[in-house]
C-alpha cells in the first residue's frame, strides 16, 4: 500500500506518517515546508510543493493508493477575515486535486475535516454526524464544501473517500506557538513560566482527542471498505467534553505547580460547547480512543520538555 500525505510535515501529518509506516504503508509526503520539530525520516519519500501548483499535484498523486489530505491554508479564528482566499486556496485547489486523483485512479481520499466547526452552534450534545451543519466561520464552510465535492466525485467518478471530522487534537509535534491548539499552547506557556490567557470565562467546552488516537482512526479509514450507501463521514473525537477551567485543573496535576490564569473577553467565533458523538466511528471503523486526558497531557508535557522554546 502506498499513501500520499498532503500536508504531511505538520502536526497531524507527522504523527499520521508514523502510524502509516507502523501499518506497513510506503509513504510519500507532499508539503511546502519541512517538519518543524524533527529531521526527515529516511523511510519516507518527501516532495516539496504547493497544493496550488496543479502540475506538482498531478505528478505527486501518481502511483499511490491512498491520499490523506491535510494541507489547509486557513484557521477557524482568522478565516472570516478573507473568505475569498479561504475558498480559492482550499476549495478550488482541493477540487483540482480530486480531479487529478480521479485521473490517476487513486483508490481513496481521506480528508481531514473539522468536527469543531462544521456544525456551528450545536443543537444537540454530543453532536451526531447527521445533525445540522451551520458553521459560523468560513473555515467550517470550506471544509463542508470539500466534503460535498468528495461525495460528488464518488458519485460521478467512483473516487472513494472518508471524511474525518476531527475535534480538538493535541499531542507531540503540535506547535506551542500556533494560533490554535489550547492544550499545547497552554503547556508551552507553562514550560516558559508564562501565564495562560483564556478568552471568556473558561467555561467553553471542547472535545480534546490525543493525537495517537486520532491517527488510529485515520489509518483505519484507509482499511475501511464501505458499500455504496454506507457512511463515509465520521466524527473523530474523545466523545467527552472538558471546559477550559477543567483542562487547566488537569494540567495543574500534570505539571505539578500552580498556574497563573488570565481571563480576557470571549471571541464571537467560539461556540460555547462542542462535544462529538463518536458512536458511528466506533461501530463502523472499529475504532475508539484509548488515551485518557491525563495520560495525553503527560505525554505532551514530556515531549514539550525536550524542546528548546525561545
Ligand atoms: N489541529 C487542529 O486542531 C485540527 C482540528 C481539526 C482539523 N484539522 C485539520 O487537520 C489538517 C492538518 O492540521 P494540522 O494541525 O496538522 O496543521 P499544520 O499547520 O500543523 O500542518 C499543515 C501542513 O500543511 C502544509 N500546507 C499548508 N498549505 C499547504 C499547501 N497549499 N501546499 C502544501 N502544503 C501545505 C503546511 O506546510 C503544514 O506542514 C488541516 O486540514 C486542519 O484544518 C486540524
Amino acid at each position: 500500500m502506498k499513501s500520499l500525505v498532503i500536508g504531511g510535515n505538520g502536526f497531524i501529518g507527522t504523527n499520521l506518517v508514523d502510524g502509516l509506516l507502523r501499518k506497513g504503508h510506503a509513504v510519500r509526503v507532499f508539503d511546502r515546508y519541512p517538519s518543524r520539530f524533527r529531521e526527515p525520516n529516511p523511510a519516507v519519500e518527501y516532495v516539496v510543493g504547493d497544493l496550488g501548483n496543479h502540475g506538482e499535484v498531478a505528478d505527486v498523486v501518481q502511483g499511490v493508493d491512498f491520499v490523506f489530505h491535510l494541507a489547509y491554508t486557513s484557521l477557524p479564528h482568522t478565516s472570516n477575515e478573507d473568505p475569498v482566499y479561504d475558498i480559492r486556496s482550499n476549495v478550488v485547489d482541493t477540487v483540482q486535486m480530486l480531479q487529478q486523483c480521479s485521473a490517476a485512479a487513486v483508490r481513496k481520499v481521506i480528508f481531514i475535516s473539522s468536527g469543531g466547526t462544521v456544525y456551528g452552534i450545536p443543537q444537540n450534545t454530543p453532536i451526531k454526524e447527521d445533525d445540522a451543519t451551520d458553521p459560523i466561520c468560513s473555515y467550517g464552510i470550506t471544509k463542508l464544501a470539500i466534503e460535498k465535492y468528495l461525495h460528488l466525485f464518488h458519485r460521478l467518478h467512483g473516487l472513494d473517500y472518508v471524511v474525518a471530522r476531527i475535534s480538538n487534537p493535541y499531542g507531540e509535534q503540535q506547535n506551542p506557538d500556533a494560533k490554535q491548539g489550547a492544550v499545547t499552547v497552554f503547556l508551552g506557556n507553562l514550560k516558559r513560566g508564562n501565564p495562560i490567557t483564556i478568552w471568556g470565562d473558561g467555561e467553553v467546552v471542547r472535545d480534546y482527542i490525543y493525537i495517537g488516537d486520532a491517527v488510529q482512526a485515520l489509518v483505519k479509514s484507509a482499511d475501511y471498505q464501505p458499500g455504496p450507501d454506507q457512511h463515509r463521514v465520521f466524527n473523530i473525537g474523545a466523545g467527552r467534553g472538558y471546559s477550559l477551567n477543567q483542562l487547566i485543573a488537569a494540567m495543574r496535576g500534570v505539571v505539578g505547580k500552580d498556574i497563573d490564569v488570565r481571563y480576557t473577553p470571549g471571541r464571537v467565533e467560539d461556540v460555547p460547547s462542542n462535544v462529538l458523538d463518536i458512536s458511528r466511528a466506533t461501530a463502523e471503523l472499529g475504532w475508539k480512543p484509548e488515551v485518557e486526558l491525563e495520560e495525553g497531557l503527560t505525554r505532551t508535557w514530556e515531549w514539550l520538555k525536550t524542546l528548546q522554546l525561545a
Side-chain angles (χ1 to χ4, degrees), residues 139-186:
Y139 169 94
I141 295 176
T142 56
K143 288 283 185 189
L144 265 184
I146 292 169
E147 291 188 11
K148 297 298 177 192
Y149 276 107
L150 285 160
H151 181 73
L152 180 68
F153 272 68
H154 185 223
R155 277 187 68 90
L156 292 182
H157 310 297
L159 177 64
D160 207 352
Y161 72 98
V162 166
V163 168
R165 289 180 177 168
I166 297 184
S167 59
N168 290 72
Y170 69 92
E172 298 93 333
Q173 308 296 329
Q174 191 168 30
N175 182 3
D177 296 321
K179 291 194 167 60
Q180 68 169 7
V183 168
T184 308
V185 170
F186 290 176

Side-chain angles (χ1 to χ4, degrees), residues 7 9-13 30-33 49-52 70-73 112-114 139 143 166-169 174 180:
N9 285 337
F11 160 48
I12 298 176
F30 182 72
D31 201 304
R32 54 187 178 183
Y33 300 123
D50 195 297
L51 186 68
L70 287 77
Y72 228 68
T73 63
I112 318 305
S113 185
S114 164
Y139 169 94
K143 288 283 185 189
I166 297 184
S167 59
N168 290 72
Q174 191 168 30
Q180 68 169 7

Side-chain angles (χ1 to χ4, degrees), residues 219-242:
V219 173
K220 278 183 180 267
S221 298
D223 289 340
Y224 176 61
Q225 293 188 334
D229 297 321
Q230 272 184 279
H231 294 122
R232 286 174 166 75
V233 177
F234 296 99
N235 283 341
I236 303 297
R240 166 161 189 198
Y242 289 90

Side-chain angles (χ1 to χ4, degrees), residues 56-274:
E56 289 173 353
V57 176
D59 287 343
V60 86
V61 298
Q62 299 300 322
V64 300
D65 300 290
F66 305 109
V67 172
F68 290 85
H69 178 25
L70 287 77
Y72 228 68
T73 63
S74 62
L75 292 172
H77 302 300
T78 48
S79 60
N80 289 344
E81 290 165 14
D82 195 349
V84 173
Y85 172 71
D86 190 14
I87 297 163
R88 282 206 187 111
S89 60
N90 290 312
V91 182
V92 175
D93 289 343
T94 296
V95 173
Q96 179 77 38
M97 183 271 286
L98 295 181
Q99 286 175 338
Q100 289 159 337
C101 286
S102 194
V106 166
R107 278 175 51 187
K108 190 188 282 183
V109 175
I110 294 110
F111 175 58
I112 318 305
S113 185
S114 164
T117 63
V118 297
Y119 300 106
I121 298 170
Q123 290 163 349
N124 305 302
T125 297
I127 312 167
K128 289 185 187 295
E129 289 86 345
D130 292 335
D131 283 354
T133 48
D134 290 307
I136 58 170
C137 61
S138 172
Y139 169 94
I141 295 176
T142 56
K143 288 283 185 189
L144 265 184
I146 292 169
E147 291 188 11
K148 297 298 177 192
Y149 276 107
L150 285 160
H151 181 73
L152 180 68
F153 272 68
H154 185 223
R155 277 187 68 90
L156 292 182
H157 310 297
L159 177 64
D160 207 352
Y161 72 98
V162 166
V163 168
R165 289 180 177 168
I166 297 184
S167 59
N168 290 72
Y170 69 92
E172 298 93 333
Q173 308 296 329
Q174 191 168 30
N175 182 3
D177 296 321
K179 291 194 167 60
Q180 68 169 7
V183 168
T184 308
V185 170
F186 290 176
L187 288 175
N189 281 336
L190 296 180
K191 182 175 182 231
R192 293 180 170 111
N194 292 340
I196 287 177
T197 303
I198 284 186
W199 285 291
D201 61 4
E203 289 308 304
V204 161
V205 172
R206 292 290 179 270
D207 178 327
Y208 299 99
I209 181 167
Y210 177 64
I211 186 62
D213 283 334
V215 160
Q216 284 308 314
L218 297 176
V219 173
K220 278 183 180 267
S221 298
D223 289 340
Y224 176 61
Q225 293 188 334
D229 297 321
Q230 272 184 279
H231 294 122
R232 286 174 166 75
V233 177
F234 296 99
N235 283 341
I236 303 297
R240 166 161 189 198
Y242 289 90
S243 70
L244 286 171
N245 290 327
Q246 289 172 320
L247 181 66
I248 285 169
M251 284 181 180
R252 198 171 287 129
V254 168
V255 303
K257 57 183 176 194
D258 275 347
I259 299 178
D260 179 4
V261 185
R262 315 256 166 107
Y263 294 89
T264 59
R267 301 179 295 190
V268 282
E269 65 278 10
D270 278 332
V271 299
S273 169
N274 179 279

